[in-house]
Amino acid sequence: MSATNILSETVLNLAESATLKMSQMARDLRAQGHDVISLSIGEPDFDTPELVREAAKTALDEGYTHYTPVPGLMDLRKAICTKLKRDNDLDFTPANIVVSNGAKQTIFNICQALINEGDEVIIFTPYWVSYIEIVRMAGGVPVIVTADVTKDYKVDPADVSNAITDRTKFVLFSSPSNPTGSVYTRGELGEIANAIALHDHVYIVSDEIYEHIVFDGVHESIAQFENVRDRTIVVNGMSKGFAMTGWRLGYMAAPEFIAKACTKIQGQVTSGASAFGQKAAATALLEDPIMTKGMMHQFLARREYMIGQLKEIDGMQLSIPEGAFYIFPDVSNFYGKSYEGQAINNSAELAESLLEHAHVAVVAGAAFGAPKCIRISYAASEEQLEKACARLKDYFGKMV
Ligand SMILES: Cc1ncc(COP(=O)(O)O)c(C=O)c1O
């Protein structure tokens, strides 16, 4: 039997995470001695706040080194309910909460719990790379509702309505959005809720993991609307707002029967998340959310800088991201041009050429369902960003 014959169709049909792949390519090039600037990564470059690190150390000393209940320690689930009330005015009890090894696992659990073969999941596009593959792994069929740069990457509620069929299980989106940085306003979310509310078999999975990184306006949750409240699953986590990517802690707030179903799945796969990490997460969530503001202000300063610089590149179409830490320019004006004799026809070729010649790693938009774009993360130091912008300007300036 050949090596590929033994592999399942699931894995053979699975796309590799484009963001992780690009980060690896950047690391490889760096290992060869090149000065590569990675703007491909989806994680804050800050350290976890000291208070949270100290809480983990205390928890270790207090013996939080054992298995936890599968849906999470009661302390943490209560803290999540407090946070959801305080920040989002949402009423949940610990029975609605499941803590997982990152929001990625949370979304995986939800898909495994809700999707039957052939069920449809409506995904707002540009989307976070993993949505499509996690839905497919569960046997689901992603249905794309697209928004482009001219609409600030926000979907038209009528398009959402038109995409709903009898097979639709749920609508999945993130606000603030990875990769576009768009943040839906209360009014916009209300209209989307109205479009979905008419179809009582359709649920909503609202990924709010970038909640604490909003520059313009405020973060709003679609779960606040009464007409969809009972059918909304809120996904959130510690990775982005608290600079805790490596801790692997995410959570969901869902109707109790869905929380139970996800607990059942998680109980056969990973069990509860790490005990001392959960104690630290509870400390973080119970702290005044002002704790997250320092990072947010630094991201805002970087956004201003990056937008100013990228605007100077002729042909790049920008939308101003209102949150998260990504810029998602439409670069299709450069397709058909070439760099040092090498033709560039799509986002993958552009990202590879940028890495090879400018030593700047970005991610091709195709991976996010937006082949006209590239994703530039500005979760990097000011010094790195300055260097990267100089290289990008030089690169695009030389395209003919
Ligand atoms: C939109 C979105 N959702 C979920 C996640 C997963 O976060 P984690 O698994 O680190 O909690 C990410 C990470 O990049 C993301 O960008």
Side-chain angles (χ1 to χ4, degrees), residues 42 102-104 107 128 131 174 178 207 209-210 239-240 248-249:
K104 204 178 238 181
I107 296 164
W128 177 46
Y131 289 159
S174 62
N178 174 6
D207 181 349
I209 195 154
Y210 291 93
S239 286
K240 316 290 178 175
R248 311 309 304 126
L249 285 164

Side-chain angles (χ1 to χ4, degrees), residues 111-384:
C111 289
Q112 293 292 326
L114 299 187
I115 295 173
N116 288 317
E117 193 70 33
D119 282 344
E120 294 171 2
V121 176
I122 294 175
I123 298 178
F124 295 180
T125 306
Y127 45 71
W128 177 46
V129 282
S130 295
Y131 289 159
I132 296 279
E133 299 306 325
I134 296 175
V135 165
R136 282 203 185 118
M137 271 193 277
V141 179
V143 174
I144 299 310
V145 171
T146 304
D148 68 19
V149 67
T150 57
K151 292 182 190 163
D152 277 333
Y153 294 116
K154 290 181 182 175
V155 297
D156 185 334
D159 292 342
V160 179
S161 204
N162 291 335
I164 293 174
T165 72
D166 292 348
R167 294 298 310 253
T168 308
K169 265 287 162 74
F170 57 88
V171 174
L172 170 59
F173 71 100
S174 62
S175 176
S177 159
N178 174 6
T180 67
S182 291
V183 178
Y184 284 88
T185 63
R186 187 172 191 278
E188 289 160 349
L189 288 173
E191 284 182 34
I192 294 169
N194 290 342
I196 297 170
L198 298 172
H199 309 269
D200 56 14
H201 64 292
V202 180
Y203 278 68
I204 299 171
V205 177
S206 172
D207 181 349
E208 304 181 13
I209 195 154
Y210 291 93
E211 165 178 19
H212 292 299
I213 311 171
V214 174
F215 316 122
D216 308 314
V218 287
H219 168 75
E220 301 277 355
S221 174
I222 196 166
Q224 71 186 280
F225 298 104
E226 219 175 306
N227 54 0
V228 292
R229 183 170 300 158
D230 296 342
R231 289 190 270 135
T232 299
I233 304 169
V234 176
V235 174
N236 209 326
M238 309 307 294
S239 286
K240 316 290 178 175
F242 297 90
M244 290 174 71
T245 46
W247 295 63
R248 311 309 304 126
L249 285 164
Y251 59 86
M252 66 177 209
E256 200 172 328
F257 75 97
I258 294 178
K260 273 197 180 131
C262 289
T263 302
K264 192 170 162 190
I265 286 164
Q266 185 164 296
Q268 295 292 12
V269 185
T270 55
S271 302
S274 88
F276 56 92
Q278 289 189 53
K279 288 296 279 184
T283 301
L285 291 175
L286 292 176
E287 223 5 73
D288 190 321
I290 197 94
M291 177 169 75
T292 63
K293 292 281 183 255
M295 278 187 274
M296 193 278 284
H297 285 302
Q298 292 196 54
F299 281 131
L300 173 59
R302 294 173 189 181
R303 178 193 74 169
E304 302 299 271
Y305 173 75
M306 291 298 287
I307 292 288
Q309 292 291 304
L310 295 176
K311 267 188 180 159
E312 289 178 20
I313 299 176
D314 253 3
M316 198 171 264
Q317 284 175 266
L318 291 162
S319 97
I320 312 291
E322 296 143 329
F325 38 71
Y326 309 104
I327 298 175
F328 203 60
D330 180 323
V331 287
S332 58
N333 283 332
F334 298 98
Y335 298 169
K337 295 192 174 193
S338 56
Y339 181 86
E340 287 185 358
Q342 185 187 0
I344 303 295
N345 295 308
N346 56 48
S347 62
E349 286 176 5
L350 181 60
E352 274 170 35
S353 176
L354 275 170
L355 182 59
E356 188 187 337
H357 298 289
H359 291 161
V360 176
V362 300
V363 188
F368 306 93
K372 289 178 172 179
C373 304
I374 54 173
R375 190 189 75 174
I376 302 173
S377 161
Y378 51 90
S381 70
E382 279 76 5
E383 192 198 336
Q384 293 270 309

Side-chain angles (χ1 to χ4, degrees), residues 4-144:
T4 47
N5 280 346
I6 202 165
L7 297 176
S8 70
E9 284 186 17
T10 305
V11 77
L12 291 174
N13 291 330
L14 192 67
E16 195 183 339
S17 164
T19 48
L20 299 183
K21 185 176 164 200
M22 209 58 196
S23 302
Q24 190 54 49
M25 281 168 72
R27 270 196 292 270
D28 292 347
L29 213 57
R30 207 174 279 140
Q32 291 166 24
H34 297 288
D35 171 27
V36 175
I37 302 172
S38 185
L39 304 185
S40 59
I41 201 80
E43 71 173 336
D45 52 319
F46 305 107
D47 288 329
T48 304
E50 190 180 352
L51 169 102
V52 184
R53 286 185 272 134
E54 286 306 322
K57 290 180 205 167
T58 306
L60 275 171
D61 290 341
E62 286 175 351
Y64 282 92
T65 56
H66 298 273
Y67 286 134
T68 66
V70 176
L73 290 170
M74 187 50 84
D75 282 2
L76 175 55
R77 283 186 286 147
K78 280 187 183 162
I80 290 168
C81 294
T82 304
K83 175 255 170 282
L84 289 167
K85 185 69 190 165
R86 181 194 63 205
D87 302 346
N88 315 105
D89 198 22
L90 299 176
D91 291 298
F92 287 102
T93 71
N96 302 113
I97 310 296
V98 182
V99 177
S100 301
N101 293 284
K104 204 178 238 181
Q105 189 187 18
T106 302
I107 296 164
F108 183 85
N109 285 343
I110 294 167
C111 289
Q112 293 292 326
L114 299 187
I115 295 173
N116 288 317
E117 193 70 33
D119 282 344
E120 294 171 2
V121 176
I122 294 175
I123 298 178
F124 295 180
T125 306
Y127 45 71
W128 177 46
V129 282
S130 295
Y131 289 159
I132 296 279
E133 299 306 325
I134 296 175
V135 165
R136 282 203 185 118
M137 271 193 277
V141 179
V143 174
I144 299 310

